[in-house]
Amino acid sequence: MHQFLDFEKPIADLEGKIEELRHLSSDGDLNIAEEVSKLEAKVERQLRATYQKLSPWQKVQVARHPGRPHAQAAIDHLIDEYVPLAGDRSFSDDPAIVGGVGRFKGRSVVVIGTEKGATTEERVRRNFGMARPEGYRKARRLMEFADRFKMPILTFVDTAGAYPGVDAEARGQAEAIARAIETCLAVRVPLVATILGEGGSGGAVALAAGNRVLMLEHAIYSVISPEGCASILWRSAEHAKDAAEALKMTAQDLEKLGVIDGIVKEPLGGAHREPAPALDALGAAIDRNLSELVGRDGGELRAERRDKFLAIGAAE
């Protein structure tokens, strides 16, 4: 069953009617295929009308939908012969960061991602995708491994931000994030980053300082969550909708601002409705961008990456 968002209530009502009709049809000799077909066409029209005019706050809700494909789903779908690598070799393994080696379209790559988890138990184990310092140190280790063996890096970001707990701060959270960003900017191999759902704060930038940064159509990417921004500016999270508008955190806004390099179109109704086609489209977009980068000089890749991020927000 789909989990419907607040603004999808008309769609939920229509799909509920379709299920009722199918149930009636299976219980008797009624032939209601024509009525079901009409309702399905109506659902498609409603979906198209709704998703063509999503507000920034509605996009936040879509980006956070629990059914969206997360990093591990993207890895499982796109990467062949995947071998996970664990631990930072200093403290422990952080389940919020997943990564390893594998093959993408026949090419050896290192993949790294923030993983929220699919079930309640898994979300708790993975701390809802909010990494601790050891997670960012693991990501840094994997990036250095990729650099040593001349393997492109693919990253998949879906996190509300780094974990703000006392234990994380005690182990040097800010320094670990800064070092991860530094390593992103220093490696001499292609780095293609993708924002799958939420790209929150430095916890996202730590894996997203790439040569190319892609976003799924309904993903968000921002220095702070709308609720966090509202609590600072308005002293109340009730203004989260206003904050979402002001933050310019949608893929469409960020492409115009030059923060990201491309938008990957999602299936009608969002990636949570049809994860496989969404990931197929993402794989094609990554392949196009990676093909343009592979074979180029490492120093050139590094200089281009650094210049790209230094130019963001600079006056023309």
Side-chain angles (χ1 to χ4, degrees), residues 227-273:
E227 294 87 349
C229 178
S231 67
I232 293 171
L233 295 182
W234 288 280
R235 300 290 192 269
S236 170
E238 293 179 0
H239 289 274
K241 292 181 182 180
D242 299 320
E245 185 76 39
L247 283 166
K248 304 297 182 187
M249 64 198 310
T250 69
Q252 294 71 26
D253 285 329
L254 293 168
E255 187 178 43
K256 289 178 185 175
L257 293 169
V259 175
I260 65 169
D261 303 293
I263 299 173
V264 180
K265 191 170 178 60
E266 297 184 27
L268 181 62
H272 56 277
R273 279 185 163 260

Side-chain angles (χ1 to χ4, degrees), residues 13-87:
D13 292 340
L14 287 170
E15 293 201 347
K17 289 178 183 177
I18 292 172
E19 287 304 314
E20 287 177 13
L21 286 172
R22 284 177 174 159
H23 180 69
L24 287 172
S25 179
S26 64
D27 286 347
D29 298 326
L30 293 173
N31 185 356
I32 53 172
E34 185 178 347
E35 186 64 26
V36 168
S37 180
K38 287 180 182 177
L39 285 172
E40 286 177 336
K42 196 171 181 179
V43 166
E44 183 174 343
R45 289 195 300 273
Q46 187 73 48
L47 275 171
R48 199 173 300 280
T50 300
Y51 275 79
Q52 281 178 344
K53 56 178 183 180
L54 290 179
S55 69
W57 178 245
Q58 287 171 334
K59 281 189 177 281
V60 170
Q61 293 176 274
V62 176
R64 292 172 174 172
H65 195 288
R68 280 181 79 82
H70 301 309
Q72 192 62 60
I75 292 170
D76 293 342
H77 192 87
L78 299 175
I79 307 300
D80 298 320
E81 301 176 40
Y82 174 65
V83 179
L85 299 175

Side-chain angles (χ1 to χ4, degrees), residues 93-117:
D93 182 50
D94 185 353
I97 298 277
V98 296
V101 296
R103 290 187 179 276
F104 173 72
K105 307 288 187 183
R107 183 182 286 121
S108 295
V109 296
V110 167
V111 289
I112 310 167
T114 44
E115 174 58 38
K116 286 183 173 179

Side-chain angles (χ1 to χ4, degrees), residues 155 157 184 191 193-195 204-213 221 309:
T155 65
V157 177
C184 279
L191 198 165
T194 302
I195 313 298
V205 181
L207 301 184
N211 294 95
R212 302 287 169 82
V213 181
Y221 190 22
F309 282 89

Side-chain angles (χ1 to χ4, degrees), residues 111-127:
V111 289
I112 310 167
T114 44
E115 174 58 38
K116 286 183 173 179
T119 65
T120 301
E121 294 77 12
E122 193 181 357
R123 288 181 192 120
V124 171
R125 183 173 72 84
R126 295 189 185 278
N127 202 31

